[in-house]
Amino acid sequence: MAESIKAPRGVRDILPDESWKWAYVLTMARKVAEDFGYQEVHLPIFEQTELFCRGIGDTTDVVEKEMYTFEDRGNRSLTLRPEATASMVRAYLEHGMNKDARQPAKLWCAGPMFRYERPQKGRYRQFWQLDFEAIGVQDPLVDVEIIHLSLELYRRLGMTNLEVVINSVGCPACRPKYREALQNFLEPLLPDLCETCQGRYDRNPLRILDCKRPECKEKTEGAPSIFDSLCEECREHFDTVRQGLETIGARYTLDKRLVRGLDYYTKTAYEVLSGDLGAQNAVCGGGRYDHLAEAIGGPFVPGVGFAAGVERIVLTMEQQGCSLGEPPRVDVTVIPLDPSLRVEAMGLLASLRKAGIAASMDYAGKTMKSQLKVASQEGIRGVCILGGDEAAQGVGGVKNLRTGEQENVPLREIPSYLAKMLRE
Ligand code: AMP
């Protein structure tokens, strides 16, 4: 026998015992989006590689090590999207949304992202993100709205034990001065830092602060923070964000080391951390990206947004015992007593479904006893029994599994009879 094929490393099948939980989270996200005035878009799963190189930054981990890049049959370099912000801004520009009177454009999408990362609990090579973006204005209150939106989603999902960490990562006006100060601080430490950090010293020294190795973390502990070198404009922006967060009652911690993994961030950067997730504890991350549009060949278009990992939301909710709704189930099962009545049962099933009643029947030749057992295990509420004599007289037995009552009902009236029974 040929060797059986398994899914690639780092990807997961979301099976029926879990998919209903995802549907719950997505439905909630859609509702929160509507309540905050965000409109849904569907974006392509692959883009030109250049979009991510220029948008996210050539020296980021995502672009350097984690992209699924391939050539198509026309020799174009394409990449499975590692995140959605660059695509969202591309779509905004490509469709001239910057010319709309209403700014910012408030958009959201949900879907799979792809990164070649080392798989572990809460970290996969294909994972889903909810992505919310407000593109087109610089107002710091939009940053507040974005952070609020993520927290409101988590509140409605019943998630607790979350920590909001925020920072300002400055702008092209204040970063060069900071970069220099940071390089001066790092230079004597370089021989003791890991190879990756050493490689980043010239190209992107800010990212050294994001190194996860304990030795590097310890060595760079006393590094100057961008926060302390912010220009007047960035400082004012950040102060308004903080005031806004305080006004809406959002508690946060200022983390002057927070730089995030993507280069496009300017000013506000934030993450929401779950106290119940272990190493991969960020349930969302985001911030402002005022120069992303220019980096991908557009005009100056500021923006702010966040992306939340669906797997990590579901993991946190399970860990915390949050309600995730209920798995979908059918309400009614149709049981023909004799194989000769199976086709007729199919007709009854069709009329039930037409009446909007969720119904099913057995196709595997189970006995009536085991069909009834399955029905009560699955929480089915009504059973339609088609017996030879009754069927010949045009009636079927309808049993209410909650009360145990059974009644003969004319076949044509069964859908309305059941609809009434299910409403009770
Ligand atoms: P990022 O796009 O890196 O800012 O990540 C935003 C959010 O996506 C994170 O806070 C996680 O919740 C989620 N996330 C990022 N990478 C992964 C991954 N490899 N597996 C699962 N979730 C992820």
Side-chain angles (χ1 to χ4, degrees), residues 263-291:
D263 267 1
Y264 51 58
Y265 287 112
T266 49
K267 298 195 167 85
T268 316
Y270 87 105
E271 278 183 352
V272 179
L273 310 175
S274 162
D276 291 287
L277 276 189
Q280 300 304 318
N281 62 349
V283 283
C284 77
R288 183 160 276 286
Y289 44 83
D290 288 344
H291 301 284

Side-chain angles (χ1 to χ4, degrees), residues 193-361:
L193 299 183
C194 72
E195 239 174 67
T196 315
C197 285
Q198 290 175 1
R200 283 172 170 163
Y201 177 77
D202 282 319
R203 292 184 300 146
N204 195 349
L206 259 82
R207 305 237 4 100
I208 295 182
L209 301 183
D210 207 28
C211 181
K212 299 284 178 282
R213 280 170 209 250
E215 312 85 59
C216 296
K217 265 189 154 165
E218 196 190 316
K219 288 269 170 341
T220 60
E221 190 88 335
S225 73
I226 173 83
F227 189 80
D228 296 319
S229 337
L230 292 181
C231 63
E232 195 55 32
E233 188 193 311
C234 285
R235 190 164 293 283
E236 272 175 23
H237 187 101
F238 197 62
D239 284 346
T240 310
V241 172
R242 293 178 75 164
Q243 282 167 20
L245 291 177
E246 276 147 31
T247 306
I248 62 166
R251 278 199 280 175
Y252 62 86
T253 312
L254 172 65
D255 177 358
K256 294 184 181 179
R257 279 184 79 97
L258 181 72
V259 289
R260 316 245 323 104
L262 317 166
D263 267 1
Y264 51 58
Y265 287 112
T266 49
K267 298 195 167 85
T268 316
Y270 87 105
E271 278 183 352
V272 179
L273 310 175
S274 162
D276 291 287
L277 276 189
Q280 300 304 318
N281 62 349
V283 283
C284 77
R288 183 160 276 286
Y289 44 83
D290 288 344
H291 301 284
L292 173 57
E294 289 158 285
I296 61 170
F300 170 70
V301 178
V304 57
F306 76 90
V310 176
E311 288 82 355
R312 291 189 199 173
I313 290 177
V314 172
L315 273 172
T316 302
M317 290 178 71
E318 284 175 339
Q319 195 89 11
Q320 298 183 345
C322 303
S323 164
L324 281 141
E326 277 182 18
R329 53 171 171 72
V330 296
D331 288 318
V332 172
T333 186
V334 177
I335 305 180
L337 286 185
D338 188 275
S340 65
L341 292 167
R342 279 167 35 85
V343 174
E344 194 159 341
M346 197 77 219
L348 178 57
L349 199 53
S351 61
L352 292 178
R353 288 169 174 162
K354 201 168 165 197
I357 296 169
S360 67
M361 69 181 256

Side-chain angles (χ1 to χ4, degrees), residues 115-146:
R115 292 184 196 172
Y116 189 79
E117 291 193 272
R118 201 165 43 79
Q120 65 180 91
K121 189 170 179 223
R123 186 163 73 190
Y124 313 101
R125 290 182 173 173
Q126 172 175 331
F127 56 97
W128 269 57
Q129 281 186 343
L130 306 170
D131 187 68
F132 287 79
E133 311 288 350
I135 309 174
V137 303
Q138 270 183 302
D139 185 351
L141 292 183
V142 188
D143 308 28
V144 177
E145 175 171 286
I146 276 288

Side-chain angles (χ1 to χ4, degrees), residues 51-88:
L51 174 71
F52 303 118
C53 296
R54 279 162 48 188
I56 299 174
D58 274 328
T59 57
T60 55
D61 278 356
V62 170
V63 171
E64 270 186 345
K65 306 183 204 157
E66 297 171 1
M67 295 207 302
Y68 282 92
T69 298
F70 59 97
E71 262 188 20
D72 75 359
R73 288 167 194 271
N75 301 323
R76 298 173 198 90
S77 179
L78 300 174
T79 294
L80 298 183
R81 62 181 182 191
E83 55 106 57
T85 308
S87 302
M88 200 77 104

